[in-house]
Amino acid sequence: MALLLCLGMTAALARGCLHCHNNFSDRFSFYRHHVNLKSWWVGDIPVSGALLTEWSQDTMRELHLAIPAEITREKLEQVARIVYQKMDQLYQGKMYFPGYFPNELRAIFREQVHLIQNAIIESRIDCQRHCGIFQYETISCNNCTDSHVVCFGYNCESSEQWEAAVQGLLSYISDWHKQDTSMSLVSPSFTCLEPQHLANLTLENASECLTQH
C-alpha cells in the first residue's frame, strides 16, 4: 500500500476553500440578496440566508480532514464551476414550495464538501507517482494565500532511486529541524533510515518507520 508522508503541515481552522475563489463574494452576495424570492414560506428565508452566510465556516467544519485544507488552483476552479452551475440552476426556478429551497441548498452544500474533500485528497495521492520529496503549489483555505504542500512519494523504479529518495528525505528533515529548533524531529526511530540500514530496508519497514512521526 502506497503511503504518503506529509511534512511540515499543521491543521488550522479555515474559512472554506470555495471562499478563496475570485468569484465567491459576487456570487454569494447575489444568492443572499435574492433568497427572499425563492420560497412561498417566510420561514425558508432566514434558514436559507443563514446557510448562505455561514457557507464557508460550515464547509470547514464538515470537511473532517486529517490533513490541512490546501487545494490546487485547478481543482478549486473545477469545484467552483460545479457549485456555481448548480446554484444558478436553482435560482432560475420560480417560487418554490415550503422547505424545498433550503433543502436544495443543503444538497449543493454537501456535494461541495465532498468535491473539496476529493480534490484535496486526490492531490496528495498523486504524490505516490513520484519518487522522494515532491512539492506542488496550492492555495491555503486558511487565508487564501499561495502555499505549497511537501510530501514523500514511494514510486521509485530502482533501489538506487529509493536510496536517493530516502537520503533526500533525511536531508529535508535535517534542514527543517535546523530552521525550527522548537520542534523535535530527530527521533531514535529514524535510525531505520540511516545509510547503514538502507541495504536491507523494505518498503513496509520504511512505512512503519515514517508513520510513527
Side-chain angles (χ1 to χ4, degrees):
M1 178 183 295
L3 177 70
L4 305 182
L5 176 65
C6 304
L7 303 174
M9 299 294 174
T10 57
L13 293 177
R15 303 186 209 175
C17 290
L18 193 62
H19 177 92
C20 299
H21 191 264
N22 53 8
N23 288 338
F24 177 88
S25 295
D26 290 341
R27 290 279 190 159
F28 272 73
S29 176
F30 172 86
Y31 299 146
R32 287 190 296 269
H33 183 71
H34 291 84
V35 71
N36 61 329
L37 304 176
K38 295 291 119 183
S39 177
W40 288 104
W41 185 45
V42 69
D44 282 0
I45 298 175
V47 172
S48 299
L51 285 170
L52 294 168
T53 299
E54 299 172 6
W55 191 279
S56 297
Q57 296 90 326
D58 289 346
T59 296
M60 295 314 302
R61 282 195 291 267
E62 293 297 320
L63 281 179
H64 303 303
L65 289 171
I67 57 178
E70 305 206 1
I71 190 170
T72 65
R73 290 187 178 275
E74 179 183 6
K75 291 185 183 297
L76 175 60
E77 186 64 39
Q78 292 171 358
V79 172
R81 185 164 56 248
I82 293 172
V83 172
Y84 297 154
Q85 181 181 25
K86 290 184 177 294
M87 294 286 280
D88 290 345
Q89 289 174 350
L90 179 62
Y91 272 78
Q92 287 171 5
K94 302 298 182 180
M95 295 283 282
Y96 296 115
F97 58 80
Y100 179 85
F101 191 73
N103 285 339
E104 288 300 301
L105 283 180
R106 291 189 187 98
I108 296 173
F109 172 82
R110 288 192 295 269
E111 181 177 359
Q112 175 234 205
V113 170
H114 184 67
L115 289 171
I116 293 173
Q117 286 173 330
N118 285 347
I120 293 172
I121 293 171
E122 283 172 3
S123 293
R124 294 300 183 94
I125 292 176
D126 283 345
C127 175
Q128 71 187 32
R129 299 176 182 173
H130 302 86
C131 178
I133 294 290
F134 180 69
Q135 174 177 309
Y136 58 94
E137 301 304 315
T138 57
I139 300 172
S140 171
C141 296
N142 183 43
N143 51 22
C144 299
T145 59
D146 290 335
S147 57
H148 67 271
V149 172
V150 179
C151 50
F152 187 81
Y154 286 85
N155 190 26
C156 301
E157 297 180 356
S158 67
S159 58
E160 289 79 10
Q161 283 188 345
W162 170 247
E163 181 172 345
V166 174
Q167 290 290 358
L169 173 61
L170 289 173
S171 297
Y172 181 89
I173 293 172
S174 177
D175 291 342
W176 184 30
H177 180 62
K178 290 176 183 177
Q179 294 173 11
D180 189 354
T181 55
S182 66
M183 299 186 66
S184 179
L185 297 176
V186 178
S187 168
S189 60
F190 272 125
T191 57
C192 66
L193 299 181
E194 291 179 352
Q196 64 268 28
H197 299 296
L198 290 178
N200 299 319
L201 186 66
T202 65
L203 178 57
E204 290 75 15
N205 290 340
S207 298
E208 181 180 357
C209 171
L210 295 174
T211 53
Q212 293 173 3
H213 306 279

